[in-house]
Amino acid sequence: MAEFIDGKTANDVWKKAVDMLLAQEATVSGRTGDVLELLHTFVSIENPRQKWVYDRIPPISISFALAEVVWIMNGEERSEVINYWNPRLSDFAGNGDIYYGAYGKRIRSHFGFDQLERSYYALQNVPESRQVVIQIYDVGKDFPIDNGQPRSEDIPCNICSLLKVRDGKLEWSQIMRSNDILLGMPYNFVQFTSLQEILAGWLGLEVGSYNHYSDSLHLYCRDFNKIGIGQEQELENTDSLSLGRNESEKIVKEIYDRMIALTNINISEKELLSLGQLKSEYIAYNNIMLMIAAYVAKKMHYNYLAEEMVCKCENEVYTKMWNRWMNK
């Protein structure tokens, strides 16, 4: 039986989905344990700029979520850089030098061309097109081997993205074969609503709805007592990631170059502060850089420097989510 969940924000729909999933009584076998599962679940977010699931218990890592968006936009697959912001990522995706199913690599070069760039050209020239599909799952590389075992620990859960322009807005539909409601869904919302917002900026369009289909929305039974829903005040994201294509690509590359520099184990406090302050004309991207760098300062035990950078951030959602993560 299909399920439909809608709401204005990612936080709204995630909380509804958790309530529905926890109400399930039967469990099914998963790859690494039994799960509660909702099959064929369709989620629609009216305002994708409100992409943050801030009521999740435990709180999500705002710095990792932002770093991952930058990593994806740069078409990356190397594990070393992104692992710095989430040392546990290798527990789920393997210990290699690259991530086999890295979304950025799959989107921007894996199939021999940049799908985000081609989407831009196609929709710029034929806005009414129904043929723009960003493919992530590669059947030749990802389909299970003959005995049914996975080819890698990092088979993409996201299959493809379907893009439409209607009424001057970029509509985005994300198709997922498998979706962990605790560990995956909140970050998936951030990943793909951010791509939607960025591409809308390239096209000079408003952001339409974000629609997310999970063929298996699930929670591992071992995590049943780990998941919760907070009842905090409503937070509003005021930053926009929409820029013209050239400005967008340039600033996202600069942030990624700074991320690479931030992983230097011999980085000084002065260098860290300098790298964390982008000082561009785009406040939204300055805020992203500050939050990414604040994590590094905290990791290096420069706690006062981390606090200084968080205080410089002008996005209240980021700062409040940082404080929740810090106090977890």
Side-chain angles (χ1 to χ4, degrees):
M1 178 178 176
E3 304 286 354
F4 179 80
I5 303 168
D6 65 342
K8 290 187 176 181
T9 71
N11 195 62
D12 292 339
V13 298
W14 184 82
K15 291 195 294 185
K16 292 177 183 178
V18 170
D19 285 340
M20 292 175 64
L21 191 54
L22 293 181
Q24 301 301 301
E25 296 180 357
T27 63
V28 298
S29 296
R31 181 165 60 93
T32 62
D34 290 347
V35 298
L36 296 172
E37 183 181 58
L38 288 173
L39 282 176
H40 321 315
T41 304
F42 184 87
V43 172
S44 184
I45 301 172
E46 181 181 332
N47 183 359
R49 282 207 169 99
Q50 304 310 318
K51 64 191 68 178
W52 297 101
V53 178
Y54 49 79
D55 278 338
R56 192 191 84 159
I57 298 174
I60 74 169
S61 169
I62 180 72
S63 299
F64 166 63
L66 292 169
E68 190 176 34
V69 170
V70 175
W71 187 71
I72 290 170
M73 276 297 299
N74 278 273
E76 263 291 8
E77 63 178 350
R78 288 175 292 172
S79 59
E80 182 180 10
V81 175
I82 196 61
N83 284 355
Y84 192 88
W85 279 266
N86 186 353
R88 291 194 60 211
L89 196 58
S90 61
D91 294 345
F92 308 101
N95 293 305
D97 293 336
I98 66 170
Y99 280 131
Y100 182 91
Y103 296 145
K105 174 73 173 181
R106 293 292 179 104
I107 291 169
R108 307 219 65 176
S109 65
H110 172 82
F111 291 97
F113 64 97
D114 184 343
Q115 296 184 80
L116 203 62
E117 179 184 64
R118 290 281 187 91
S119 298
Y120 164 67
Y121 288 136
L123 293 172
Q124 184 183 54
N125 288 294
V126 186
E128 67 275 13
S129 176
R130 297 188 296 270
Q131 297 180 2
V132 177
V133 178
I134 294 177
Q135 187 69 29
I136 297 172
Y137 188 90
D138 181 342
V139 67
K141 294 178 68 72
D142 299 332
F143 204 83
I145 57 180
D146 290 346
N147 66 3
Q149 295 302 306
R151 294 179 180 270
S152 166
E153 294 179 86
D154 185 35
I155 298 300
C157 292
N158 282 275
I159 301 300
C160 68
S161 310
L162 309 177
L163 283 58
K164 303 283 189 301
V165 174
R166 296 294 183 270
D167 300 322
K169 297 179 180 180
L170 179 62
E171 301 283 332
W172 193 288
S173 295
Q174 194 65 29
I175 310 300
M176 297 198 68
R177 63 172 181 83
S178 177
N179 206 188
D180 186 309
I181 198 168
L182 174 63
L183 300 175
M185 183 179 252
Y187 292 101
N188 298 140
F189 286 160
V190 176
Q191 293 159 3
F192 290 99
T193 60
S194 293
L195 292 185
Q196 178 185 13
E197 196 174 344
I198 288 167
L199 185 57
W202 291 11
L203 291 163
L205 301 173
E206 294 297 317
V207 176
S209 64
Y210 173 80
N211 303 284
H212 184 105
Y213 174 77
S214 299
D215 204 47
S216 169
L217 182 62
H218 58 264
L219 174 71
Y220 280 93
C221 295
R222 61 174 178 266
D223 293 330
F224 187 86
N225 293 322
K226 298 178 184 178
I227 191 170
I229 299 175
Q231 299 295 330
E232 302 289 345
Q233 68 185 79
E234 187 171 328
L235 301 179
E236 182 177 3
N237 178 38
T238 54
D239 281 349
S240 169
L241 303 182
S242 293
L243 297 175
R245 182 183 167 210
N246 291 337
E247 296 93 335
S248 171
E249 293 275 60
K250 181 180 178 181
I251 200 164
V252 170
K253 184 180 185 304
E254 181 173 354
I255 292 174
Y256 191 62
D257 289 342
R258 289 178 180 230
M259 283 173 56
I260 294 171
L262 284 168
T263 64
N264 181 354
I265 59 172
N266 296 315
I267 191 170
S268 69
E269 294 178 61
K270 183 178 179 180
E271 290 170 324
L272 204 164
L273 179 60
S274 177
L275 288 168
Q277 297 183 101
L278 193 58
K279 295 182 178 179
S280 76
E281 60 183 295
Y282 308 114
I283 293 173
Y285 287 90
N286 295 346
N287 290 336
I288 288 173
M289 190 72 251
L290 285 164
M291 299 309 300
I292 288 173
Y295 176 91
V296 180
K298 177 68 173 62
K299 191 166 185 170
M300 300 288 289
H301 304 291
Y302 302 146
N303 294 338
Y304 63 93
L305 184 55
E307 188 61 31
E308 179 182 344
M309 286 190 281
V310 171
C311 287
K312 289 178 183 291
C313 177
E314 298 182 35
N315 187 321
E316 186 182 24
V317 175
Y318 295 178
T319 59
K320 286 188 178 296
M321 291 185 68
W322 168 270
N323 289 329
R324 290 176 191 175
W325 179 77
M326 285 286 292
N327 295 323
K328 64 182 182 296

